[in-house]
Amino acid sequence: MQKFNQSLQAYFNLNENDLVKIASYFKSETIEKDDYFLHAGNQCKKLSFINDGILRIYMTIDRKEITQWISTSGYFVTEISSFMFETPARWEMQALSKTTLFTISKENYERLNQEIENWHLIEKAFISKCFAMLEDRVFSHLSMTAEERFEFFFSQNKALFNEIPQQYIASMLGMSPETLSRIRNKQLTK
Amino acid sequence: MQKFNQSLQAYFNLNENDLVKIASYFKSETIEKDDYFLHAGNQCKKLSFINDGILRIYMTIDRKEITQWISTSGYFVTEISSFMFETPARWEMQALSKTTLFTISKENYERLNQEIENWHLIEKAFISKCFAMLEDRVFSHLSMTAEERFEFFFSQNKALFNEIPQQYIASMLGMSPETLSRIRNKQLTK
DNA sequence: TCCATTTCTTGACATAAATCAAGAAAACAT
DNA sequence: ATGTTTTCTTGATTTATGTCAAGAAATGGA
């Protein structure tokens, strides 16, 4: 819970009162390895902070799984569209390891708007940050080679490479597992 | 202004009162061909609806211009991060043709929050839609070939191909102008 | 600990797409 | 209209990356 509070604070720059109130709505929850946080088609009714563990967000298309994102400890996870508009989720979200979360239900989330002054600002900041992150990702595909995308991601997420199958990282970066393997090998011998 | 009102309505599902109030804050504005809506480094202080014309959003990196997006009549344009958080803009936004806009200043935009009930919901919907659009774009780079990205974009934006240099579309889709030219040629003879 | 399963690596080869260059076509300015 | 500039097309070639396949390594379960 310590880590969660600190992250809430760091993300949203809250005062003590608000921090406590917000945190009180988040309930601890565990997902076993290979179990699902969310299935495509269902409505995403929760927003969670990953306390420990790893979730993979993916979609299956033509029998191929496309990994859209891998979310790790210290980050929030939800499917924004589904959570905000109560539409069916488009992504599968599966735990790659036993994962502990702090989760707020959609119901309680709605209450924050009444209870926290300027909650809408916090909410806006959250979504906008997610937007900016995706903007960078699009840009990386327009302006970088597979190798450059690898380098950048690796520099920011070294630990991840020992924790999950590399094929998922490859997919997320838009390259085949073989290409990632070769690039990685090349980097090591540099 | 007709088109603008209809689009506002369609985007945000407003009642007559709110619609009129919101629309009243948007002022007509014109940008000549090749002039800039926004320069990187400056703060983006406006949110605009494109009534007519075309804007190109791009960044120059290693002497190469990467076109991130091309925004056309009927859509809104701003740099979300810069507009929301008053940070320096990262993108250049230039008119590819004489462009007429309806623009709301950041200042007036802030007023909407007091004046329109549930404005925060409208705002959230707006940003979330932008987010979902980018999510699709990332996905297109993970799961589609250049040819498939072309086909999809072309099917949705046929007119654009006669209105602006194709090199910009190519960049936006993450391919060289030559590749786009070849794909296009191939499609025509199919 | 051992076996089964999954994942990773590597080589050979195929393919998509980039680059370079030159001429054609189109757009623009005078 | 004419010349100038920009953009587009096309061919030749190179490069990056994908695919397939097989063995090696790692992982996970009994």
Side-chain angles (χ1 to χ4, degrees):
Chain A
M1 201 76 184
Q2 185 84 16
K3 194 205 276 175
F4 174 50
N5 280 15
Q6 279 170 9
S7 286
L8 258 188
Q9 178 60 44
Y11 255 73
F12 302 122
N13 207 261
L14 302 161
N15 67 43
E16 186 60 23
N17 253 352
D18 286 350
L19 181 63
V20 169
K21 214 186 284 174
I22 293 172
S24 73
Y25 279 120
F26 282 81
K27 308 297 177 204
S28 173
E29 178 189 10
T30 301
I31 303 184
E32 294 302 323
K33 182 170 188 310
D34 297 336
D35 282 354
Y36 282 78
F37 174 78
L38 174 68
H39 279 293
N42 292 356
Q43 187 187 316
C44 182
K45 292 180 180 170
K46 52 196 190 178
L47 168 68
S48 300
F49 175 83
I50 302 182
N51 183 57
D52 189 47
I54 305 173
L55 293 179
R56 177 172 74 110
I57 289 91
Y58 72 95
M59 191 185 280
T60 304
I61 202 139
D62 298 337
R63 302 233 182 94
K64 267 181 57 183
E65 288 180 357
I66 308 290
T67 297
Q68 158 86 347
W69 189 245
I70 293 160
S71 199
T72 54
S73 172
Y75 292 92
F76 286 91
V77 63
T78 189
E79 180 166 329
I80 288 184
S81 304
S82 178
F83 184 73
M84 298 296 178
F85 309 131
E86 315 196 348
T87 53
R90 312 189 308 164
W91 308 99
E92 305 281 346
M93 301 197 181
Q94 185 184 29
L96 292 182
S97 61
K98 180 170 177 171
T99 299
T100 60
L101 306 165
F102 293 110
T103 296
I104 187 170
S105 66
K106 169 78 173 165
E107 229 175 12
N108 282 330
Y109 182 85
E110 294 301 336
R111 294 211 177 105
L112 291 175
N113 196 40
Q114 272 92 62
E115 301 195 3
I116 308 289
E117 194 181 11
N118 288 327
W119 172 250
H120 70 280
L121 291 178
I122 292 172
E123 196 178 29
K124 180 162 74 170
F126 175 69
I127 307 176
S128 298
K129 274 186 195 178
C130 294
F131 176 85
M133 216 177 61
L134 273 190
E135 212 172 42
D136 287 342
R137 271 190 90 194
V138 170
F139 190 73
S140 79
H141 283 279
L142 302 184
S143 67
M144 292 158 94
T145 62
E147 190 160 350
E148 289 166 333
R149 290 198 300 280
F150 169 88
E151 275 178 25
F152 185 73
F153 185 78
F154 183 66
S155 73
Q156 311 277 309
N157 302 276
K158 289 207 174 54
L160 204 56
F161 284 76
N162 304 314
E163 291 168 359
I164 63 169
Q166 289 185 32
Q167 50 179 314
Y168 300 143
I169 300 177
S171 174
M172 195 196 103
L173 293 174
M175 66 187 77
S176 70
E178 291 94 334
T179 295
L180 188 138
S181 172
R182 288 190 177 100
I183 288 173
R184 198 178 178 207
N185 204 285
K186 195 166 144 198
Q187 301 278 333
L188 288 174
T189 60
K190 256 192 198 167
Chain B
M1 201 75 184
Q2 185 84 16
K3 194 206 276 178
F4 174 50
N5 280 13
Q6 279 169 8
S7 285
L8 259 188
Q9 177 61 44
Y11 256 73
F12 302 123
N13 207 263
L14 302 162
N15 67 43
E16 185 60 23
N17 253 352
D18 287 350
L19 181 63
V20 169
K21 213 185 285 175
I22 293 172
S24 73
Y25 279 119
F26 282 81
K27 308 298 178 204
S28 174
E29 178 188 12
T30 301
I31 303 183
E32 294 301 323
K33 183 171 188 308
D34 296 336
D35 282 355
Y36 282 78
F37 174 79
L38 174 69
H39 278 294
N42 292 355
Q43 188 188 315
C44 182
K45 292 179 180 171
K46 52 195 190 179
L47 167 68
S48 300
F49 175 84
I50 303 182
N51 183 57
D52 190 46
I54 304 172
L55 294 179
R56 177 172 74 108
I57 290 89
Y58 71 94
M59 190 183 280
T60 304
I61 202 139
D62 297 338
R63 300 232 183 95
K64 266 181 59 182
E65 289 180 355
I66 307 290
T67 297
Q68 158 87 346
W69 189 246
I70 293 160
S71 198
T72 54
S73 172
Y75 292 92
F76 285 91
V77 64
T78 189
E79 179 165 328
I80 288 184
S81 304
S82 178
F83 184 73
M84 299 294 178
F85 308 132
E86 316 196 347
T87 53
R90 311 189 307 163
W91 308 98
E92 305 281 346
M93 302 197 182
Q94 186 184 28
L96 292 182
S97 61
K98 180 170 177 171
T99 299
T100 61
L101 306 165
F102 293 110
T103 295
I104 186 170
S105 65
K106 169 77 173 167
E107 229 176 13
N108 283 329
Y109 182 86
E110 293 300 338
R111 295 210 177 106
L112 291 175
N113 197 38
Q114 272 91 63
E115 300 196 2
I116 309 288
E117 195 182 9
N118 287 327
W119 173 251
H120 70 279
L121 290 178
I122 292 172
E123 197 178 29
K124 181 163 73 169
F126 175 70
I127 307 175
S128 298
K129 275 186 196 180
C130 294
F131 176 86
M133 217 177 58
L134 274 189
E135 212 173 40
D136 287 342
R137 271 191 90 196
V138 169
F139 190 72
S140 78
H141 284 278
L142 302 185
S143 66
M144 292 158 94
T145 62
E147 189 160 351
E148 289 166 331
R149 290 199 299 281
F150 169 88
E151 276 179 23
F152 185 74
F153 185 77
F154 183 67
S155 73
Q156 312 276 309
N157 303 275
K158 288 207 173 56
L160 203 58
F161 284 77
N162 303 315
E163 291 168 358
I164 63 169
Q166 289 185 33
Q167 50 178 316
Y168 299 143
I169 300 176
S171 175
M172 195 196 104
L173 293 174
M175 66 188 77
S176 70
E178 293 95 333
T179 294
L180 187 139
S181 172
R182 288 189 177 100
I183 288 173
R184 197 178 179 206
N185 203 285
K186 195 167 144 196
Q187 299 279 332
L188 288 173
T189 60
K190 255 192 199 166

